[in-house]
Structures are given as C-alpha cells and as structure tokens.
Amino acid sequence: MKKIGVICFAFVLGLALLATGCSEKKGGSLGEQLDYKITGIDPGAGLMKKTKEVMKSYGLDKWQLIEGSEAAMIASLKKAYDKKEPIVVTGWTPHWMFAKFDLKYLDDPKNVYGDAENINTVVRLGLKDDEPSAYTVLDQFAWTPKDMGEVMLMNEDGTDPAESAQKWLDNHQDKLQEWTKGAAKVNGNKIHLVYVAWASEIASTNVVAKALESIGYKVELTQVDAAPMWAGIADGSADAMVAAWLPSTHADYFNAYKGKFEDLGPNLTGTKLGLVVPSYVAANSIEDLQN
Ligand code: PBE
C-alpha cells in the first residue's frame, strides 16, 4: 500500500513537472515563443531596411528579420491568427489586413519608423513631351487611403485587380473626370507602368491603368521588385509608377537616381509603417520585444 502511494506521488509529481515545463514554454517571452523571428516581406522593400534600423535602435540583437514576400507574410499571419498563436510581422497602412484581422501596431516610442508619409507618382524624363495626355492624368491622379482600401478589399475578396479597378472607377466617375481633365484623347498610344506586388500598389497601378485606358491608351503593366522599378523609370525603359513611398521609405532609391526621373508629387498621403501583431498578443510596444 505504502509503495503504491509513493509511486502515485511520483507519478503526480512527474505530471506536474511536465505541465510546468509545457506551460513555461508557452508562457515564455514573446521572443522565446517566436524563436526571435520577425516575419518580413521582400528584401527590396524600404520597410525591411527601416525594420533593421528599428531592431538596432531598440537593441533587438537576438531577433532575426525573415525575408520573404507580402504574400508569404500574409499566409503566416493568417495561419497564426487562426490558431491564436503569437506572430510579429512588418506591416503598413493602407493595407486590407487591418480590415480582415484584428491587429495593432507596436508603439515606436523612438519614432524610428518615422511619421506619416506620402505615396508619390514618378515618371521618366521626357514623358511630358512624348505623352502629354498620360502625363496630365498621372499628374492629376490623387486619392485617399479609404479609396485605395476599397480597391484592395475587392482584390483580397478574389476579384481580378484589373476588374476591381474598373468597377471602382465606374462607381467614382467624379474621380476619373478629375484625373483626366484637360487630357486629350489618344489612339492606342502605349504607356508602360511598373509596380511591385504590394497590395497597395497592385490596387493603385491598376486604377491608374484603367484611367489611362479610358482616354485611349494601351497600357502595359510589369510587376518587378522595388530596385528595378526605380531603375526602370530612371533608364526610361518604363514610363511611370505610382508607388514611390516618400520622403523616407524609398529615400535610398530616390537619392540613387536623383536627376533621372520626374517626381510628380503625392497621389496619396497618410501612410504608416511598423511592426504589427494580432490584438491578442500582449506586447504593446517595440520595447516589449527587448526581453
Ligand atoms: N511597402 C508597401 C513598401 C512600399 C509599399 C511599405 C511594403 C516598401 O516598404 O517599400
């Protein structure tokens, strides 16, 4: 009887230890739970460079920034979210993910990610003389994060981006009129737009393409990485892009090609970059990743 009691006691103790061990792993710091990994996007994104600055500035030396793509980041986010597991991703606004998931930005008390920025339209030198109508439309193209969000959501819900763009314009004829005002119709002239496969830029580039088509252009869209997007405008192999996050996110590209492009100014204002977590994650500040 006594022996059985001791065995039972040992068994219960063992279970208790096991349970503590398990809960310790689950209840460890966010870094421990995530193997100190931040889920990033494409390496050419300004956001990746900024995030490395952030990691340095906050002393997150144990952490690693994982490169991938926006699509892969979203897939990881979705997977973690469905299981209510922790995750830290690099994120930005405008983005449909804030409409589909309950997320929060981690506070950045040192403001390393910086203040709100603009998305500018940038065209190749000489476009004004070669294609004045396209130039006029590109110059007049401007909308709000809310507008862009509507198109992004349609895309996310499975509509083809070209179709979403056309639908959105059909419902916002006032905007189309504003953008095409004073631009003479053309007859199948070609315009080559470049963009990166970020949800925000897929939305904007397709909308501008449809606006150009409405006055008779034949528009070619080429999806590239961030570096070749800027290089393509600078060497004139592409005509325009509406994806220049400035003054800070794309500052390196902007400075590298200075004098070799024309900056037509903001087409959208009020962007944001940061580290993003699901709301159920306890951390509220980038400083909380320091432990
Ligand atoms: N982004 C989306 C880009 C610009 C658009 C924030 C991922 C970047 O970081 O370069």
Side-chain angles (χ1 to χ4, degrees):
M1 198 60 200
K2 208 175 170 191
K3 207 172 171 190
I4 290 177
V6 171
I7 290 171
C8 273
F9 178 73
F11 183 70
V12 169
L13 189 70
L15 272 186
L17 282 175
L18 207 69
T20 320
C22 287
S23 69
E24 214 163 66
K25 196 167 170 228
K26 275 215 167 142
S29 74
L30 185 57
E32 279 163 8
Q33 293 176 64
L34 291 176
D35 274 335
Y36 294 96
K37 283 180 181 145
I38 295 170
T39 307
I41 55 168
D42 44 302
L47 175 57
M48 292 296 274
K49 195 179 167 234
K50 284 260 164 193
T51 302
K52 280 178 202 150
E53 284 168 33
V54 162
M55 292 165 74
K56 227 191 204 139
S57 164
Y58 286 87
L60 308 184
D61 349 307
K62 282 196 253 170
W63 288 79
Q64 234 185 308
L65 177 60
I66 307 299
E67 292 178 354
S69 64
E70 180 186 342
M73 177 273 282
I74 291 292
S76 301
L77 175 63
K78 188 168 187 329
K79 204 170 143 204
Y81 195 85
D82 288 344
K83 293 195 218 152
K84 261 200 147 197
E85 284 173 1
I87 186 163
V88 179
V89 305
T90 56
W92 65 96
T93 306
H95 199 291
W96 59 265
M97 68 182 181
F98 294 97
K100 288 278 172 165
F101 306 109
D102 195 0
L103 304 171
K104 61 184 177 188
Y105 278 100
L106 294 180
D107 289 343
D108 173 13
K110 296 185 179 181
N111 199 29
V112 182
Y113 278 116
D115 298 326
E117 291 194 89
N118 310 316
I119 308 181
N120 286 19
T121 300
V122 171
V123 304
R124 71 165 168 84
L125 295 180
L127 185 74
K128 188 175 187 177
D129 292 331
D130 299 342
E131 291 299 341
S133 291
Y135 181 94
T136 298
V137 174
L138 287 158
D139 197 21
Q140 290 174 162
F141 168 60
W143 61 347
T144 66
K146 183 175 165 280
D147 296 330
M148 183 189 252
E150 289 168 10
V151 181
M152 275 193 282
L153 264 187
M154 284 192 256
N155 290 343
E156 169 49 23
D157 288 340
T159 309
D160 175 72
E163 207 179 301
S164 302
Q166 189 57 59
K167 267 193 197 158
W168 191 88
L169 280 180
D170 290 347
N171 292 325
H172 295 83
Q173 286 294 310
D174 52 325
K175 284 268 158 67
L176 183 62
Q177 249 135 51
E178 213 179 287
W179 302 340
T180 54
K181 200 171 164 200
K185 284 216 167 12
V186 298
N187 194 4
N189 298 18
K190 290 199 174 107
I191 283 290
H192 183 200
L193 302 180
V194 273
Y195 70 106
V196 184
W198 299 312
S200 34
E201 278 55 39
I202 294 172
S204 54
T205 309
N206 275 278
V207 165
V208 160
K210 289 294 169 203
L212 288 166
E213 282 174 18
S214 79
I215 58 161
Y217 277 100
K218 208 173 165 314
V219 183
E220 187 192 339
L221 299 185
T222 309
Q223 186 199 305
V224 290
D225 283 333
M229 173 174 76
W230 278 91
I233 301 295
D235 71 17
S237 60
D239 293 311
M241 55 105 149
V242 291
W245 284 50
L246 293 167
S248 170
T249 308
H250 289 175
D252 284 0
Y253 295 126
F254 187 92
N255 292 327
Y257 296 112
K258 220 172 189 158
K260 297 183 175 149
F261 57 81
E262 191 181 348
D263 177 10
L264 298 184
N267 59 58
L268 180 146
T269 58
T271 65
K272 182 174 168 70
L273 303 182
L275 290 180
V276 172
V277 299
S279 300
Y280 55 76
V281 170
N284 283 314
S285 165
I286 299 173
E287 286 174 338
D288 295 337
L289 304 186
Q290 285 163 341
N291 333 298

